[in-house]
């Protein structure tokens, strides 16, 4: 089965958007996909077949204080305005095509982190409506910049803290012809979280989450080493930026969003023949 793994990385996800739009233009399809954080909230547009949507609404609203601002954080506890990002935009301003999402047979999973256990939670999105949107929000809720998202009995935050690149998750589900879209270059090595001291204070009620954050860099680097090993063995195809993207978690300049998106497009187009051959 053909699978797709989508790393997060906030606005580095514009790279992923560029790659996915090339896939849509060339009718490149998958049996299943798993996205983390930005990989989830941008990657869902592949299943809904909405080429250009993620770039469009990010450029349209990147300067809008309702979208991402310190005002949001002061008023609500979320830098990215939850109501605006997860209701106003997908329901009214740039409508998310939930009908096409639900009709597309491609399985779509997202990853969030359970703050009480510090472990990853995987959710299969079936309808692309309110519950799935909540899971996407949870997956993209960065620590310190977002409130804990409660869904049922679970308390959730950014999936990247527990499983940044869920390649093994997809492999365990039987996917054996996989492409991973990463948002860091080959030489990147993650360091220990520089805000760990503050995280220990803010999330002191959740010791397992703190432990997960404290060891995230170790898991991440082991995962990228595993990915490289699989890539060199011809068992995984990787699309990654040729160099560091140098874009912030919050970006108010639409030209910067365009720049990173175009790097994604160029990278995918350069590898297009290889990708088609790999999947066939």
């Amino acid at each position: 089965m053909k699978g797709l793994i989508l790393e997060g990385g906030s606005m580095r996800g514009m790279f992923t958007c560029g790659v996915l739009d090339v896939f849509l233009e060339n009718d490149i399809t998958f049996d299943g996909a798993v996205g983390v954080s930005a990989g989830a909230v941008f990657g869902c547009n592949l299943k809904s077949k909405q080429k250009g949507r993620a770039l469009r609404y990010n450029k349209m609203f990147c300067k809008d204080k309702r979208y991402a601002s310190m005002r949001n954080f002061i008023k609500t506890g979320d830098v990215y305005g939850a109501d605006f990002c997860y209701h106003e935009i997908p329901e009214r301003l740039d409508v998310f095509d939930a009908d096409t999402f639900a009709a597309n047979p491609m399985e779509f999973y997202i990853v969030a982190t359970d703050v009480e256990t510090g472990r990853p939670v995987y959710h299969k999105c079936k309808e692309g409506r309110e519950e799935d949107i909540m899971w996407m929000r949870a997956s993209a809720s960065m620590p310190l910049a977002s409130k804990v998202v409660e869904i049922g009995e679970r308390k959730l935050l950014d999936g990247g803290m527990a499983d940044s690149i869920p390649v093994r998750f997809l492999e365990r589900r039987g996917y054996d012809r996989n492409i991973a879209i990463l948002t860091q270059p080959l030489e990147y090595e993650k360091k220990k979280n520089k805000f760990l001291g503050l995280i220990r204070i803010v999330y002191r009620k959740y010791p397992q989450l703190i432990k997960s954050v404290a060891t995230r860099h170790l898991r991440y680097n082991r995962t990228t080493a595993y990915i490289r090993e699989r890539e060199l063995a011809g068992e995984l195809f990787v699309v990654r930026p040729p160099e560091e993207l140098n874009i912030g978690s919050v970006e108010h300049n639409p030209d910067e969003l365009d720049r990173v998106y175009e790097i994604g497009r160029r990278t995918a187009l350069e590898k297009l023949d290889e990708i088609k051959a790999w999947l066939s």
Side-chain angles (χ1 to χ4, degrees):
M1 291 195 296
K2 297 182 294 184
L4 180 65
I5 301 103
L6 305 171
E7 184 181 10
S10 300
M11 287 304 145
R12 295 199 311 274
M14 286 293 103
F15 173 86
T16 302
C17 294
V19 176
L20 296 183
D21 281 354
V22 170
F23 287 179
L24 285 167
E25 291 167 2
N26 288 274
D27 297 318
I28 294 172
T29 60
F30 298 85
D31 299 302
V34 57
V36 183
S37 193
V41 297
F42 298 157
C44 63
N45 295 288
L46 180 68
K47 184 170 166 66
S48 66
K49 300 182 180 180
Q50 290 178 279
K51 175 181 172 292
R53 178 176 177 268
L55 176 66
R56 182 175 61 243
Y57 74 71
N58 273 283
K59 288 177 64 178
M60 186 178 300
F61 300 115
C62 65
K63 295 183 180 181
D64 192 318
K65 288 183 170 56
R66 296 172 297 172
Y67 186 58
S69 65
M70 282 305 298
R71 187 187 73 171
N72 283 341
F73 183 72
I74 292 167
K75 290 176 65 176
T76 69
D78 289 300
V79 169
Y80 282 90
D83 185 65
F84 189 73
C85 293
Y86 298 103
H87 291 286
E88 281 287 300
I89 291 176
E91 294 171 10
R92 189 172 64 85
L93 300 176
D94 197 326
V95 176
F96 180 65
D97 189 348
D99 290 338
T100 298
F101 182 96
N104 188 335
M106 182 184 80
E107 294 185 326
F108 190 74
Y109 298 90
I110 64 167
V111 188
T113 299
D114 187 313
V115 301
E116 295 182 319
T117 67
R119 297 184 61 80
V121 182
Y122 306 92
H123 172 77
K124 183 178 178 179
C125 298
K126 296 179 179 179
E127 298 180 352
R129 300 192 187 275
E130 186 172 357
E131 182 183 7
D132 290 340
I133 298 297
M134 279 291 288
W135 277 92
M136 293 177 198
R137 175 189 164 192
S139 181
S141 289
M142 299 177 290
L144 301 179
S146 309
K147 291 189 300 186
V148 171
V149 178
E150 297 189 23
I151 303 177
E153 296 182 355
R154 292 192 182 277
K155 297 179 180 179
L156 304 166
L157 278 175
D158 183 3
M161 292 188 290
D163 193 356
S164 296
I165 314 172
V167 59
R168 289 185 178 88
F169 166 78
L170 219 55
E171 290 174 344
R172 288 195 299 268
R173 300 195 68 83
Y175 289 87
D176 55 2
R177 204 67 180 162
N178 300 324
I179 292 178
I181 302 178
L182 308 185
T183 60
Q184 296 283 13
L186 177 61
E187 65 275 10
Y188 176 76
E189 182 176 333
K190 186 174 283 296
K191 306 299 184 185
K192 194 170 185 177
N193 192 310
K194 61 184 178 181
F195 297 110
L196 184 58
L198 183 57
I199 285 172
R200 291 186 191 279
I201 295 170
V202 174
Y203 300 106
R204 57 189 176 278
K205 294 194 299 183
Y206 306 115
Q208 295 305 313
L209 176 69
I210 294 170
K211 184 182 296 185
S212 185
V213 174
T215 56
R216 178 186 179 184
H217 63 297
L218 302 175
R219 289 192 307 279
Y220 183 94
N221 294 331
R222 285 196 297 266
T223 299
T224 54
Y226 173 76
I227 286 171
R228 184 59 173 159
E229 177 184 302
R230 299 281 285 167
E231 181 184 19
L232 291 173
E235 297 171 337
L236 177 69
F237 195 99
V238 181
V239 181
R240 56 169 69 84
E243 57 192 11
E244 287 194 27
L245 296 171
N246 294 318
I247 189 167
S249 298
V250 178
E251 181 55 64
H252 299 299
N253 184 349
D255 292 338
E256 280 295 285
L257 300 175
D258 259 332
R259 177 184 66 82
V260 174
Y261 172 84
E262 289 298 332
I263 294 173
R265 283 191 60 86
R266 287 198 302 272
T267 303
L269 288 169
E270 288 167 2
K271 294 178 174 288
L272 188 57
D273 290 343
E274 295 176 70
I275 290 168
K276 289 179 177 179
W278 168 262
L279 292 174
S280 65

